[in-house]
């Protein structure tokens, strides 16, 4: 008799982003003439740059010729691309070998899958609020109890509040897996070297593993801020990193990311090399490699021209972030993030709940955002606006908020 994994029953009703889409569709059906402006999902809107398009074309052309045709590639990714990514880390002063880099189809699958190589009894700590995949993948794996009073039993929530600048302190007790995301989704906060060092010191001390999501690293302009956890001394012994081409290069639909699992990484019952071997085993067993066409695109992103063009695209989105931040501040709203990250994190006015504000903003200004409470209990009373959009749409949305939102 087959049975289901009933951990799925513990999950909250809908995954956050489909829920937003559902409510937006319902509003549009009731108000067919309303022009809805979407600053909700962090999804790129600008076309791929010319070098990257040329790279993708190269990938297609290779498939048209028997001399250059390739079928299955290495599950861990194209050798040249792994080398290019290792070189990027070298540029940050970090020594990562190409075979410590695993190319994937994105940071979402990697951040959901990575937990599978760790014991089911591991205690998990997450930033609160956090990208929902970290929590939900561990709920599904059975590392939490039931949902009670707005949180999962057994999960350690590290509150990110205005008081701590949205970067939490290390957990008080002993935890085993720690998810950190910097630049942060949803708060837009970026951890300093000193802040990351407190986590590295903690993790080395208790043999915990930090799962560091750097999907938004390209949005950091402050040279003092770390773009990788591996910039912190000792991090290769206690951290792995997950990252993505999605936001840096506009690959949200193209799909390409990577993880770095250092051979030096250890945990309680694994000597150096074993975590790396297990992730390699997991990927070679359950993943058949990223698309060869897309990896050619990734190589183009990593080229000098690709990096220059993608930096311009990142700057374009960051100009949008400034437009949102300035517009909301002009209204007297309390706003965070949006400086080294593409998300603006605002306090909801007059004590409205995050979902009440979602409805209010949609009804009054026809703007869609993301309720902070969807990212965790400490997100209640906050709201996220995404800077990924055409500049003219972002400007129209901010104008509509300024003209139509009743405060
Ligand atoms: C909507 C911290 C966005 N359907 O594109 P990927 O898989 O390389 O990266 C996904 C990802 C990974 N890590 C962090 C992220 O914020 C994201 C993307 N998040 C958002 O609006 O929060 C898109 C979400 C998508 C989803 O469910 O991921």
């Amino acid at each position: 008799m087959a049975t289901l994994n009933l951990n799925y029953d513990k999950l909250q009703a809908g995954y956050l982003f489909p829920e937003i889409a559902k409510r937006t569709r319902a509003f549009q059906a009731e108000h067919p003439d309303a022009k809805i402006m979407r600053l909700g999902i962090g999804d790129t809107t600008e076309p791929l740059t010319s070098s990257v398009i040329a790279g993708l074309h190269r990938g297609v052309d290779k498939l048209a010729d028997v001399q250059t045709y390739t079928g299955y590639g290495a599950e861990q990714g194209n050798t040249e691309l792994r080398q290019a990514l290792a070189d990027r880390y070298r540029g940050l002063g970090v020594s990562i070998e190409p075979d410590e880099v695993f190319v994937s189809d994105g940071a979402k699958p990697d951040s959901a899958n990575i937990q599978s190589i760790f014991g089911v009894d591991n205690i998990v700590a997450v930033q609160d609020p956090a990208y929902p995949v970290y929590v939900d993948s561990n709920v599904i794996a059975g590392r939490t109890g039931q949902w009670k009073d707005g949180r999962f039993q057994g999960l350690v929530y590290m509150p990110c509040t205005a008081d701590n600048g949205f970067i939490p302190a290390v957990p008080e007790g002993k935890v085993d897996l720690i998810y950190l995301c910097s630049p942060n989704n949803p708060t837009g906060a970026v951890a300093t070297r000193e802040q990351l060092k407190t986590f590295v010191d903690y993790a080395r001390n208790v043999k915990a593993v930090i799962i560091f999501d750097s999907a938004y690293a390209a949005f950091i302009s402050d040279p003092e801020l770390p773009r990788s956890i591996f910039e912190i001394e000792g991090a290769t012994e206690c951290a792995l990193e997950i990252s993505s081409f999605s936001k840096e290069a506009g690959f949200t639909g193209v799909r390409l990311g990577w993880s770095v699992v250092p051979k030096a990484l250890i945990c309680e019952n694994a000597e150096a090399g074993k975590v790396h071997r297990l992730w390699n085993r997991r990927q070679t067993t359950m993943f058949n490699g990223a698309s060869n066409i897309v990896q050619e695109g990734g190589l183009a992103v990593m080229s000098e021209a690709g990096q220059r063009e993608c930096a311009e695209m990142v700057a374009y989105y960051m100009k949008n972030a400034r437009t949102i931040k300035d517009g909301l501040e002009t209204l007297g709203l309390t706003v965070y993030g949006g400086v080294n990250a593409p998300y603006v994190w605002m306090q909801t006015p007059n004590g409205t709940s995050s979902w009440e504000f979602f409805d209010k903003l949609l009804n009054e200004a026809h703007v869609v955002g993301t309720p902070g409470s969807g990212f965790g209990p400490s997100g209640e009373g906050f709201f996220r606006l995404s800077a990924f959009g055409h500049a003219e749409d972002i400007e129209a949305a901010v104008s509509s908020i300024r003209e139509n939102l009743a405060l």
Side-chain angles (χ1 to χ4, degrees):
M1 187 174 70
T3 60
L4 289 176
N5 174 0
L6 295 185
N7 289 316
Y8 276 86
D9 288 347
K10 297 178 190 166
L11 296 171
Q12 289 313 285
Y15 180 60
L16 175 63
F17 297 106
E19 178 64 27
I20 290 169
K22 191 176 99 188
R23 290 190 187 212
T24 308
R25 274 196 307 276
F27 178 84
Q28 187 77 83
E30 278 172 36
H31 307 85
D33 296 331
K35 184 180 179 310
I36 295 175
M37 291 159 274
R38 296 167 200 275
L39 279 64
I41 296 181
D43 194 3
T44 48
T45 51
E46 300 313 303
L48 300 183
T49 74
S50 55
S51 305
V52 177
I53 288 291
L56 290 166
H57 280 299
R58 245 188 331 271
V60 173
D61 291 343
K62 281 185 174 179
L63 298 182
D65 186 333
V66 73
Q67 302 299 332
T68 48
Y69 173 85
T70 52
Y72 292 123
E75 289 91 346
Q76 302 90 339
N78 170 320
T79 309
E80 231 186 307
L81 183 55
R82 295 174 90 192
Q83 180 68 60
L85 288 163
D87 290 346
R88 165 179 284 193
Y89 284 98
R90 189 159 306 114
L92 297 174
V94 173
S95 175
I96 295 292
E97 294 301 322
D99 66 352
E100 294 174 307
V101 178
F102 295 81
V103 177
S104 74
D105 57 351
K108 179 177 179 176
D110 281 348
S111 59
N113 294 332
I114 192 75
Q115 51 72 32
S116 69
I117 64 168
F118 294 99
V120 76
D121 53 352
N122 279 201
I123 295 172
V124 177
V126 290
Q127 283 172 286
D128 169 27
Y131 180 46
V133 175
Y134 315 145
V135 173
D136 286 1
S137 57
N138 279 289
V139 172
I140 291 167
R143 284 191 196 86
T144 73
Q146 295 294 336
W147 175 257
K148 193 167 172 236
D149 301 329
R151 51 188 69 216
F152 284 103
Q153 305 280 295
L155 190 67
V156 175
Y157 291 84
M158 301 184 290
C160 301
T161 63
D163 286 345
N164 61 23
F166 301 99
I167 302 295
V170 297
E172 278 168 17
K174 182 182 177 304
V175 303
D176 305 307
L177 296 178
I178 304 168
Y179 287 80
L180 292 179
C181 174
S182 177
N184 190 261
N185 174 21
T187 67
V190 186
T192 62
R193 282 171 210 281
E194 294 69 30
Q195 286 166 328
L196 288 186
K197 185 174 183 316
T198 63
F199 276 93
V200 167
D201 290 346
Y202 170 91
R204 289 176 83 188
N205 202 21
V206 301
K207 290 200 175 149
V209 172
I210 298 170
I211 297 166
F212 189 78
D213 186 336
S214 64
Y216 299 98
F219 293 80
I220 297 177
S221 54
D222 182 340
E224 294 304 313
L225 292 169
R227 285 154 176 73
S228 162
I229 185 80
F230 300 125
E231 291 183 54
I232 312 304
E233 203 191 333
T236 51
E237 288 169 30
C238 66
L240 58 89
E241 185 162 308
I242 285 166
S243 205
S244 176
F245 285 87
S246 280
K247 308 298 160 64
E248 169 181 353
F251 273 30
T252 52
V254 179
R255 308 306 305 147
L256 194 66
W258 72 93
S259 57
V260 177
V261 180
K263 290 182 194 146
L265 178 57
I266 55 165
C267 62
E268 207 159 297
N269 60 353
E271 73 283 4
K274 186 155 186 191
V275 183
H276 176 270
R277 279 201 303 280
L278 248 64
W279 183 234
N280 187 55
R281 186 69 166 88
R282 191 272 166 208
Q283 290 299 79
T284 51
T285 303
M286 300 198 187
F287 181 58
N288 238 344
S291 148
N292 45 12
I293 300 170
V294 168
Q295 291 190 82
E296 284 288 340
L299 271 171
V301 172
M302 300 302 290
S303 70
E304 209 179 307
Q307 285 294 286
R308 197 173 49 247
E309 293 163 1
C310 289
E312 281 168 21
M313 193 155 68
V314 163
Y316 175 93
Y317 290 127
M318 286 312 296
K319 191 157 178 274
N320 287 344
R322 265 195 307 282
T323 303
I324 299 168
K325 192 171 163 68
D326 292 350
L328 298 180
E329 279 173 348
T330 311
L331 285 173
L333 292 162
T334 305
V335 178
Y336 304 94
V339 178
N340 288 288
Y343 294 119
V344 173
W345 184 241
M346 59 167 282
Q347 202 171 335
T348 57
N350 311 316
T352 40
S353 76
S354 299
W355 277 109
E356 280 166 358
F357 188 72
F358 174 89
D359 291 333
K360 181 177 167 67
L361 193 67
L362 186 53
N363 278 288
E364 295 176 5
H366 299 169
V367 172
V368 176
T370 307
S373 57
F375 297 97
S378 296
E380 183 55 275
F382 287 88
F383 199 75
R384 191 194 79 175
L385 291 165
S386 159
F388 294 106
H390 303 308
E392 58 275 20
D393 294 343
I394 298 281
E395 279 157 21
V398 171
S399 297
S400 175
I401 293 172
R402 291 177 62 171
E403 284 161 25
N404 302 314
L405 187 69
L407 291 170

